[in-house]
Amino acid sequence: MLRGNWKGKTLGSGWMLEILGRAPCGENLRQGLGRRRGGIARSYGTCMTMGTASTMTAIAESIGMTLPGASSIPAADAGHIRMSSECGRRIVEDGVGGFDAEKNPDRKAFENAIVVAMAMGCSTNAIIHLIAQARRAGQDIGLGDFESASRKVPVIANVRPSGDIYLMEDFSMPADCPA
């Protein structure tokens, strides 16, 4: 989704409880919540924080299952439609069966995905999903791989909720920027 706004403050998914906790006494909460809720969810798409959907699309990109840059384009952005068209062209160019998720990603690809997940401050759900995806591809990835990476890889993406400044819309590269 596109980032939310309320009274000049950038909002993201999960901020309803924060807003409730800061509501002034006597404020009509029902009326105030409606305005805030409209400011948080202002477009279609997955939540605009580094939740499970954003984490898993970034992981899919790091493994090579999407075109570069595809994972962070907001659903409402025109770049999303352009990327979808480019993905379709690529599938036709590669031919049916050109990419086999069970054969192509090797252990190194999944180790890279774990590094990407750690550096992003990933959703905890990424652990179970990535282990399942790796095992489906015949790669023995487990909790120890995540534990080891977590001790070496710093969180460098200051994307909410593990960060405190940016949202996924900020993580996306505009279409007119060089890659």
Side-chain angles (χ1 to χ4, degrees), residues 128-152:
I128 57 173
H129 292 306
L130 191 52
I131 289 172
Q133 188 177 3
R135 291 188 179 165
R136 173 80 175 159
Q139 304 302 320
D140 187 26
I141 297 293
L143 291 175
D145 296 297
F146 286 88
E147 200 275 332
S148 175
S150 73
R151 296 190 180 279
K152 298 177 204 166

Side-chain angles (χ1 to χ4, degrees), residues 108-130:
K108 279 288 195 202
F110 286 104
E111 288 172 349
N112 185 54
I114 293 170
V115 168
V116 168
M118 295 295 117
M120 292 184 314
C122 68
S123 162
T124 55
N125 288 330
I127 297 168
I128 57 173
H129 292 306
L130 191 52

Side-chain angles (χ1 to χ4, degrees), residues 62-142:
S62 72
I63 293 173
M65 297 180 78
T66 69
L67 294 179
S71 68
S72 60
I73 302 171
D77 189 291
H80 200 269
I81 296 166
R82 286 190 290 272
M83 181 60 79
S84 296
S85 294
E86 182 59 28
C87 287
R89 268 193 290 285
R90 228 2 227 287
I91 289 168
V92 171
E93 287 172 9
D94 289 348
V96 177
F99 179 84
D100 186 340
E102 292 187 8
K103 293 180 183 171
N104 286 355
D106 59 9
R107 180 168 179 83
K108 279 288 195 202
F110 286 104
E111 288 172 349
N112 185 54
I114 293 170
V115 168
V116 168
M118 295 295 117
M120 292 184 314
C122 68
S123 162
T124 55
N125 288 330
I127 297 168
I128 57 173
H129 292 306
L130 191 52
I131 289 172
Q133 188 177 3
R135 291 188 179 165
R136 173 80 175 159
Q139 304 302 320
D140 187 26
I141 297 293

